[in-house]
Amino acid sequence: MASFGLFVRFTLRAGAGEAFDSLVRETADGIRAHEPGTLVYACSEVEGAPDQRTFFELYADYAAFEEHERQPHTRRFLSERDKYVEKTEVDRLQPYAGKFPTGAEK
């Protein structure tokens, strides 16, 4: 099955960056420890936009994404993030070319 990805842009509430980033770091710890099917989970600040954060997520397949969504650390992130986030934009991705962490070329 084909890999699956997300590109997410969060616009944070004024002054929420530090608390949001702490929640993200805790979530990323759980992802690293418990999600072999999550190939990339890259969280970034946006240069020149202090209230913006982006996530690039790449999963081995859609089933790995569904497993990610069921994890306690992800459920906690999803339930807590609204305290810090003003707006969320999500693009679902179907990667078709490039270099991937598995070393496989598409």
Side-chain angles (χ1 to χ4, degrees):
M1 179 166 288
S3 58
F4 175 78
L6 294 176
F7 182 82
V8 184
R9 178 178 293 273
F10 292 105
T11 302
L12 304 180
R13 300 180 192 284
E18 190 173 315
F20 180 81
D21 294 344
S22 178
L23 177 63
V24 169
R25 286 184 183 98
E26 291 172 19
T27 304
D29 288 345
I31 291 167
R32 279 191 299 274
H34 303 289
E35 297 186 29
T38 300
L39 305 177
V40 175
Y41 198 85
C43 310
S44 302
E45 295 177 339
V46 177
E47 187 174 335
D51 292 332
Q52 297 282 309
R53 300 292 186 274
T54 62
F55 287 16
F56 174 67
E57 305 173 29
L58 182 63
Y59 301 91
D61 52 28
Y62 193 78
F65 166 70
E66 290 177 319
E67 182 62 24
H68 163 76
E69 292 287 291
R70 286 191 288 271
Q71 295 297 311
H73 48 269
T74 301
R75 303 302 308 155
R76 181 174 181 274
F77 172 79
L78 294 173
S79 70
E80 296 286 319
R81 72 178 178 186
D82 289 344
K83 292 190 267 188
Y84 313 117
V85 174
E86 188 173 293
K87 181 179 177 184
T88 304
E89 301 168 75
V90 180
D91 291 318
R92 290 174 169 250
L93 309 172
Q94 289 290 209
Y96 68 92
K99 180 176 184 241
F100 297 88
T102 61
E105 300 288 327
K106 287 197 177 201

